[in-house]
Amino acid sequence: VEIDLRVPALLPEDYLGDVNMRLSFYKRIAGAENKEALDELKVELIDRFGLLPEATKNLFQIAELRLSAKQLKIIKIDATVHGGFLEFSPNADIDPMKFLNLIKQQPAVFKFDGPTKFRFNCALEQHKVRLEFVADLVKSLLN
């Protein structure tokens, strides 16, 4: 799943100085199979290096988002300060009623753009707001 939310999502050098260890953690985060594995990695980082910086919290939120997106067969998530889109695999089996309900509730925000792309058009200027909006949208389609 390709995710571009234009938010800082990293393990800062001043938090984890050793480049090899940083790369190792990136690999472990990317390879986490579920939320529990990500939570264990968070605990390990906090135990070893202290509280997570904001950019590292974002990294974990995006990793969780990736896990949810895989379940829905989303292949790309893109979001900017003005909105963005979810792009689904052509063989995704999703409930059309969930999309129709979102469109019905907020027709100015949500719309389809072709058979596999679901657009959202709204102000998402703050990184945290953008990340939470996209995560909530994906969760609403999962449930």
Side-chain angles (χ1 to χ4, degrees):
V1 180
E2 182 185 337
I3 299 176
D4 188 358
L5 302 181
R6 293 156 185 88
V7 300
L10 57 107
L11 295 163
E13 192 174 333
D14 62 351
Y15 178 69
L16 203 167
D18 182 88
V19 68
N20 290 325
M21 193 172 294
R22 225 176 20 251
L23 290 172
S24 171
F25 271 103
Y26 280 126
K27 188 174 181 178
R28 291 171 63 196
I29 291 167
E33 298 277 328
N34 52 45
K35 186 178 178 336
E36 292 74 27
L38 287 172
D39 289 342
E40 288 174 16
L41 284 167
K42 276 186 214 175
V43 169
E44 183 178 346
L45 280 169
I46 292 168
D47 284 349
R48 293 174 71 178
F49 306 105
L51 294 177
L52 300 177
E54 201 61 37
T56 305
K57 290 177 186 175
N58 294 344
L59 179 67
F60 277 100
Q61 278 189 281
I62 290 171
E64 284 183 34
L65 177 60
R66 183 170 279 110
L67 292 173
S68 298
K70 278 182 184 178
Q71 291 178 44
L72 289 166
K73 295 187 181 174
I74 294 173
I75 55 175
K76 183 173 183 179
I77 298 174
D78 192 284
T80 68
V81 296
H82 303 294
F85 64 86
L86 308 177
E87 186 172 350
F88 293 84
S89 167
N91 66 345
D93 50 348
I94 44 181
D95 181 1
M97 288 309 296
K98 291 181 181 180
F99 293 98
L100 294 174
N101 287 335
L102 285 169
I103 294 168
K104 194 185 302 181
Q105 290 168 8
Q106 296 178 290
V109 174
F110 297 109
K111 71 176 184 177
F112 277 103
D113 183 5
T116 61
K117 203 176 270 190
F118 189 64
R119 289 203 171 274
F120 48 92
N121 184 22
C122 54
L124 301 169
E125 292 173 18
Q126 295 174 332
H127 294 156
K128 188 175 183 120
V129 170
R130 190 174 321 139
L131 194 49
E132 287 178 9
F133 177 87
V134 173
D136 289 345
L137 175 58
V138 170
K139 279 183 194 158
S140 73
L141 295 172
L142 255 180
N143 297 333

